[in-house]
Amino acid sequence: MMRTGTGCIDRPSPNHGPRPEGVGVELLILHYTGMPTAESALSRLCDPAAQVSAHYTVDEDGAVHAHVPEDRRAWHAGLSSWRGRTDVNSRSIGIEIVNPGHEFGYRPFPAVQMAAVADLCLDIMGRHGIAPADVLGHSDIAPARKEDPGELFDWPGLAARGIGLWPQPIAADDSPIDLAVDLAESAEDVAALLGRYGYDTAESRVLLSFQRHFHPERLTGEPDPETLRRLRALLRMTGR
């Protein structure tokens, strides 16, 4: 099934295949297109030679382009992992969001675009029973390779509508690791917490990817008290 209605444009891609038998949709992965124009991105997603696709693309004006039926496996995630499971494509829906990305002039996502993304996400989550915690960015599942949708993406706004999570630390999130200690000595502890949340800690740039999503004010890739508090808050919120 593909979303239909006002603003949805049918632009099919040939780049898809069957989902493995018995594998359902569990994750919703958000990307930016990372190309100079919307048309260049749409053309690539529909080019059989490119060998890439997504289920939907949301343009900056809010128009939604439908590429691959949701019961088919689109080719958007690449080499990736979440919570110890690879082949993310087989168990996810992928949404591309038009933005030139870090290579071509990264910029904020317009409000009308974010509203369309939110509406589309809610539709998909409702159809497939996807939990808010299972709405992720491409950089979450492939931290060594990807930066999207990036630090300018409005994750807090989506979380306010029940899409994804946004950490709400409380006093209890300050323990058991003493946040006053040198956090460099706690690198192994931080990695263990990231792994509990779902990240592949064998990948490089994992903490930076976490910050890009959940603490975009501090993109250092190094542990700091507020990053750690937000990570603990997410673990508490999900019971992981």
Side-chain angles (χ1 to χ4, degrees), residues 12 17 24 27 37 41 45 47 56 83 92 101 115-116 129 132 138 146 158 161 168 179 186 198 238 240:
L27 304 173
T37 66
L45 290 166
D47 180 359
Y56 301 97
R83 303 201 74 189
S92 67
H138 201 184
K146 297 296 180 179
L158 288 184
R161 295 191 61 181
Q168 301 293 335
L179 295 179
S186 303
T238 57
R240 296 178 183 171

Side-chain angles (χ1 to χ4, degrees), residues 21-41:
E21 186 175 354
V23 176
V25 173
E26 304 169 357
L27 304 173
L28 178 55
I29 309 300
L30 307 185
H31 311 250
Y32 64 38
T33 52
M35 297 190 72
T37 66
E39 184 54 41
S40 62

Side-chain angles (χ1 to χ4, degrees), residues 2 9-13 38-39 42-44 46 65-68:
M2 291 196 290
I9 302 165
D10 188 24
R11 186 154 179 176
S13 171
E39 184 54 41
L42 290 166
S43 294
R44 185 167 187 268
C46 298
H65 300 260
H67 306 302
V68 174

